[in-house]
Amino acid sequence: MNSRRAYVVGAYLPNGGTLMAYHLGRILEEEFGFHAVAVATGGETAEHGIHDYALRMPLVALAQMEQEITRDDVLIVNPSFSSHQFGWRLPGFKISYVQGFSTYALLDRKLDHYVAVSNFVRDFLHTVYAIDARVIPPFIDLDGVAAPTAWAQRPPFVVLPYRKGIPEAWEISWQRLRAILAERAPHITLAEPLSGSGTPHVELLSKLGAFRYFLTLSAAEGFGLVPLEAMAMGTMVVGYDGFGGRHYMRAGENCEVVPYPDIERVAELLIEAIMNPARSEEIAARGPKTAAQYSRDSFRRSWIEEFRRVLPNI
């Protein structure tokens, strides 16, 4: 291993975006000999129980990283940390894996390299910031997850909602949907909304595989990893495309989605899906094929190529 370090900001925060950043640090250590270091932004550790970390990186505080980083090191940072303005202040080669467009007011534009998580984010970066970024999608991981429940054994009139995104936008869509269903389809039951925050990943996937219908009302997503995981578990995805979901969502083929804020159409699609379970089962059965395109191996190969292309002296 060489003496260069790869600092990963928020590597142990328990969400999908920072998990992908963690894996960039892991690739830099395992493939290129860097010493990967996790940077804590708020006292977090790897012991939160949401994700498993095969490579345990040493953990340093943000202030310590800022004191220690040198021009020979690499900094991996998600755009949600743009308020720190690392690009203006720190040495080293600074890379942003841009996994969203709504988690920051102003992108740190002084970083050295940007990679987009989806075609939508790529186009957003080009239009708003004049950045031409390559697209590398995230991956889904089904390791340790039991096979999903057979379609016939899943409850026919129960929907699993997913709570994520801008709270005000989610809540107003949720209340409007509930009102429509109460009037037009009182036989449909909405389960307690699932939150990706605080739910161990294997448990979350198991829940996704126990329902026929998954409802996503997230208005703005850079990619939308959990709806893709629902597809992987053979579950029918209905709701908003979240903008970034357009990278893999194909309405009428592997899901039924519309752009935000057409909640009336979401309600119609949900009712139609439940009233026509044979068609829904056929659509849901295409989900695993879609999800299989977003593997850990593909992600790793793409980032190895990208690091070789952009990093100096490796």
Side-chain angles (χ1 to χ4, degrees):
M1 182 178 291
N2 64 41
S3 60
R4 301 174 70 185
R5 291 161 296 190
Y7 290 100
V8 184
V9 179
Y12 290 144
L13 287 171
N15 60 59
T18 48
L19 179 66
M20 295 300 125
Y22 158 85
H23 279 282
L24 301 191
R26 183 176 173 183
I27 292 168
L28 285 170
E29 176 158 318
E30 294 174 348
E31 298 292 334
F32 299 101
F34 281 76
H35 179 57
V37 181
V39 180
T41 61
E44 72 276 4
T45 72
E47 309 303 328
H48 48 65
I50 306 302
H51 301 293
D52 293 326
Y53 300 98
L55 172 67
R56 288 301 180 100
M57 304 175 186
L59 185 64
V60 301
L62 190 62
Q64 182 178 343
M65 178 275 291
E66 293 193 12
Q67 292 176 353
E68 293 180 350
I69 191 170
T70 73
R71 60 182 297 176
D72 295 322
D73 297 328
V74 171
L75 181 71
I76 304 294
V77 58
N78 286 358
S80 54
F81 300 111
S82 287
S83 61
H84 292 280
Q85 296 295 314
F86 294 129
W88 288 87
R89 301 189 296 107
L90 299 184
F93 194 87
K94 298 169 286 291
I95 300 175
S96 180
Y97 187 21
V98 186
Q99 299 179 62
F101 56 93
S102 60
T103 57
Y104 47 93
L106 183 68
L107 182 70
D108 184 348
R109 189 61 182 84
K110 293 290 283 184
L111 302 174
D112 298 294
H113 189 61
Y114 301 84
V115 174
V117 74
S118 65
N119 293 338
F120 184 88
V121 172
R122 175 200 61 198
D123 296 343
F124 170 81
L125 291 174
H126 177 78
T127 301
V128 177
Y129 293 103
I131 293 172
D132 292 320
R134 181 184 177 190
V135 174
I136 301 180
F139 69 88
I140 63 171
D141 185 1
L142 303 182
D143 289 351
V145 180
T149 304
W151 180 270
Q153 297 174 354
R154 304 186 192 191
F157 300 109
V158 182
V159 178
L160 179 63
Y162 180 55
R163 183 190 296 273
K164 188 187 177 185
I166 301 168
E168 296 82 3
W170 190 93
E171 186 64 31
I172 198 166
S173 292
W174 171 241
Q175 295 300 339
R176 177 59 182 156
L177 178 76
R178 292 179 64 192
I180 294 172
L181 293 181
E183 178 181 346
R184 294 182 48 194
H187 60 287
I188 295 176
T189 298
L190 296 171
E192 182 69 21
L194 174 67
S195 173
S197 176
T199 304
H201 188 241
V202 171
E203 180 182 329
L204 182 145
L205 287 166
S206 296
K207 288 183 178 179
L208 295 177
F211 292 83
R212 290 185 179 184
Y213 309 101
F214 173 85
L215 174 68
T216 173
L217 297 179
S218 182
E221 293 266 18
F223 183 82
L225 204 57
V226 174
L228 182 64
E229 290 174 327
M231 288 187 184
M233 301 303 286
T235 302
M236 173 71 167
V237 173
V238 181
Y240 295 143
D241 63 20
F243 298 103
R246 297 168 193 173
H247 194 93
Y248 65 91
M249 294 177 177
R250 301 292 178 265
E253 297 180 21
N254 60 11
C255 61
E256 285 291 7
V257 294
V258 295
Y260 171 82
D262 194 353
I263 194 62
E264 286 76 16
R265 182 58 181 154
V266 169
E268 291 173 359
L269 290 169
L270 187 59
I271 293 170
E272 290 169 6
I274 291 174
M275 298 310 294
N276 192 345
R279 179 175 180 273
S280 295
E281 182 179 10
E282 181 180 334
I283 290 175
R286 300 186 188 118
K289 184 176 180 180
T290 298
Q293 300 173 45
Y294 301 93
S295 68
R296 184 196 299 264
D297 287 345
S298 177
F299 177 87
R300 193 176 184 92
R301 286 194 302 270
S302 295
W303 273 104
I304 289 172
E305 177 186 337
E306 189 72 1
F307 287 141
R308 285 176 175 158
R309 189 175 70 86
V310 302
L311 285 182
N313 304 319
I314 64 168

